[in-house]
Amino acid sequence: MTANSNYRAMGLLALVMVFWAGNSIVGRAVAGQIPPLTLAFIRWTGALALLAPFAIRPLRRDWPELKRGWKPVLVLGVLGIGAFNSLLYSGLQYTTATNALLIQAAVPGVVLLLDRVIFRLRSGAVQIVGTAATIVGVVFIVFEGDPARVLALHLGRGDALVLVSVLVWSLYTVFLKLRPEVTPISFVAITFAIGVLANAPLALWEWGAGLRIVWNTGTVLALVYVALFPSLVSYFIYNYAAGQLGAARAGQSITLLPVFGALLSALLLGEVLHWYHAVGITLIGLGIALGLWALRQQQAGGALRPTPLEGKR
């Protein structure tokens, strides 16, 4: 890996965070119009349908390797595709997009902890400081630079669901290193298929409970958006970047979610940006820069070894 490839991976992760910030905003916008588990099912069914024509040949070629590594593939599909999105969309029925974006900013810290507990991977002091800086930057933005707002934060049912989704996504990020060495399109396609199968009975349960989609232009556009950008495009990029940078640094990019959430709110909803946004964005940028610097130091010292994700590209 080169410094340029690291910067490219981080740039691509920033694009993913734009799409995922939009995903939380859309998920909140259609609350009450599209049942959450149905939204997750249609999202992955649509993404799989778009991908399928291009994935058939790679899947046939990679099938022996996928069968040998079926256990991590199954776990990754259930966690990252099935469970995470169902939990997030369910949580957005009861909490705000801002709360959801804030809670997701806990991912970098959880990833560092899980990497340490599960794989005994130690994080350097610079990386820890960088992660702390990004989290402080997120908190600064969400609480508008006012410590008193921390005491006013209310965590309810929706927040609890989003918090569980954070744990699920952190596990997905950490376990990506166990992924079989297959082409990205094969891995994404098989995990999408697992997600569809996992979500299908949940969507049927909602249907049986009488929950229906309120069809209009907004809900149709929402379904198209979540199937294409936060799903098909973003998962290819995220998995690639996790292979280039490692789980902890890929997870650190989640702290960009509230930043892009604030920028999208300003662009789409006419909300005003304030001084605390600038301070928070600066801290987040500093944290990410420290993480990249630590990565370059590791590479220069030969301490960074390739993971299974850095196989076939």
Side-chain angles (χ1 to χ4, degrees):
M1 294 186 294
T2 65
N4 287 338
S5 65
N6 293 335
Y7 293 134
R8 182 171 62 249
M10 288 301 300
L12 289 171
L13 279 174
L15 181 62
V16 170
M17 296 310 125
V18 173
F19 293 149
W20 284 351
N23 181 53
S24 291
I25 291 172
V26 167
R28 178 58 183 170
V30 299
Q33 299 184 68
I34 305 178
L37 305 179
T38 301
L39 177 58
F41 173 71
I42 295 177
R43 172 184 178 177
W44 297 116
T45 301
L48 182 60
L50 291 170
L51 182 62
F54 309 98
I56 293 174
R57 291 183 64 183
L59 275 172
R60 287 175 178 170
R61 183 174 62 250
D62 290 330
W63 191 247
E65 190 67 30
L66 288 169
K67 285 199 300 183
R68 280 192 292 272
W70 70 269
K71 290 181 180 179
V73 169
L74 179 62
V75 169
L76 289 166
V78 170
L79 289 176
I81 312 301
F84 169 72
N85 295 278
S86 296
L87 288 163
L88 177 61
Y89 289 146
S90 296
L92 285 167
Q93 301 289 305
Y94 307 102
T95 191
T96 63
T98 298
N99 267 26
L101 291 167
L102 166 64
I103 294 168
Q104 289 176 77
V107 165
V110 178
V111 169
L112 285 177
L113 178 62
L114 291 176
D115 250 346
R116 178 74 180 103
V117 171
I118 298 174
F119 294 106
R120 299 291 189 267
L121 296 181
R122 293 181 179 275
S123 300
V126 174
Q127 185 179 354
I128 293 172
V129 171
T131 300
T134 56
I135 293 174
V136 170
V138 168
V139 172
F140 209 89
I141 289 173
V142 175
F143 295 113
E144 301 181 1
D146 183 1
R149 288 180 175 266
V150 178
L151 300 177
L153 180 65
H154 172 69
L155 294 178
R157 177 181 179 182
D159 302 306
L161 288 168
V162 176
L163 189 59
V164 176
S165 79
V166 163
L167 175 60
V168 167
W169 184 258
S170 300
L171 285 167
Y172 172 81
T173 299
V174 168
F175 287 146
L176 271 174
K177 60 174 59 69
L178 302 178
R179 192 196 88 172
E181 293 189 41
V182 297
T183 52
I185 192 170
S186 296
F187 176 72
V188 171
I190 196 69
T191 53
F192 280 12
I194 292 169
V196 169
L197 292 175
N199 286 140
L202 302 176
L204 286 173
W205 174 81
E206 281 187 332
W207 182 271
L211 301 176
R212 300 288 188 274
I213 298 175
V214 179
W215 291 105
N216 53 52
T217 302
T219 54
V220 171
L221 291 176
L223 290 172
V224 171
Y225 175 80
V226 299
L228 184 57
F229 295 104
S231 305
L232 191 60
V233 175
S234 295
Y235 273 68
F236 270 109
I237 297 175
Y238 190 84
N239 292 340
Y240 162 78
Q244 291 290 111
L245 302 170
R249 291 177 183 84
Q252 186 180 1
S253 66
I254 300 293
T255 52
L256 289 170
L257 278 174
V259 174
F260 291 126
L263 295 175
L264 287 174
S265 295
L267 179 64
L268 302 176
L269 305 177
E271 297 182 0
V272 180
L273 294 178
H274 297 281
W275 65 271
Y276 49 79
H277 291 109
V279 174
I281 289 170
T282 300
L283 287 169
I284 291 169
L286 174 63
I288 292 174
L290 286 172
L292 282 173
W293 182 81
L295 180 61
R296 291 188 66 179
Q297 293 299 110
Q298 284 182 317
Q299 290 173 334
L304 193 66
R305 292 175 297 190
T307 69
L309 268 175
E310 294 162 342
K312 303 178 182 177
R313 290 291 169 207

